[in-house]
Amino acid sequence: MRELIEYTRKKPGKMRTGCFIIKGDKIVSKAISTVVINQDPTAHGEINAIKKYCRAKKSYSLRGCWIYSTQIPCAMCASAIVWGEAAGVVYGWDGRHVWKKLNIDPKTILKTAKKKIQCYGPFLADECLKIKGYRKK
């Protein structure tokens, strides 16, 4: 997680959520959110990392992969994680009070998966908050 925080901190832009996909002990994909840069509301860090990994693999499967994100995945990202059947999610901070976009708990979406998707967080929340200068609720 500390490597992800450092990776995300070094990237330009105001809206930065970083995501690593880990399989075994290897980072297999890295991305940050590019919503503002690309003017694309779906270009979240998690979606960008998932697209990069799946295109390289030529498969939509995230089986055996862990999603590390600097903040809790939103409902859209959580749905993609369920579709890909990732093993788990580790997130830095819970920014739902900042987004104010959807009133859907992403953990509820993760619980709908056929195979259990483990979810851990918040993890190193204070360090993740410093990336953007947000404050806790």
Side-chain angles (χ1 to χ4, degrees):
M1 183 60 102
R2 289 191 199 287
E3 187 175 341
L4 171 60
I5 293 166
E6 191 57 31
Y7 169 83
T8 307
R9 189 185 329 263
K10 289 180 180 178
K11 296 293 179 181
K14 293 179 182 178
M15 305 265 312
R16 291 174 297 176
T17 296
C19 179
F20 282 178
I21 299 179
I22 311 293
K23 189 161 189 176
D25 61 354
K26 286 186 160 191
I27 299 169
V28 295
S29 186
K30 297 179 180 183
I32 63 161
S33 53
T34 56
V35 172
V36 175
I37 293 167
N38 294 339
Q39 292 298 295
D40 177 355
T42 68
H44 294 198
E46 299 91 339
I47 296 294
N48 290 342
I50 289 168
K51 283 181 178 180
K52 187 188 283 187
Y53 175 72
C54 290
R55 285 182 182 145
K57 243 186 85 186
K58 295 184 168 99
S59 170
Y60 68 84
S61 175
L62 297 170
R63 287 185 197 113
C65 294
W66 280 80
I67 310 300
Y68 280 70
S69 181
T70 54
Q71 62 178 304
I72 193 169
C74 72
M76 174 184 66
C77 295
S79 295
I81 292 164
V82 169
W83 266 91
E85 300 180 329
V89 173
V90 178
Y91 68 90
W93 72 288
D94 188 339
R96 288 178 288 159
H97 68 282
V98 175
W99 312 333
K100 298 179 184 173
K101 301 288 183 188
L102 292 170
N103 193 21
I104 301 169
D105 186 341
K107 292 178 190 173
T108 301
I109 294 169
L110 295 174
K111 288 177 186 174
T112 68
K114 288 180 185 177
K115 287 188 174 183
K116 183 178 180 178
I117 297 176
Q118 297 178 61
C119 185
Y120 297 101
F123 186 71
L124 298 176
D126 290 337
E127 290 182 46
C128 290
L129 283 163
K130 289 176 188 172
I131 294 169
K132 295 188 192 183
Y134 284 143
R135 295 174 200 255
K136 289 182 184 177
K137 188 173 180 183

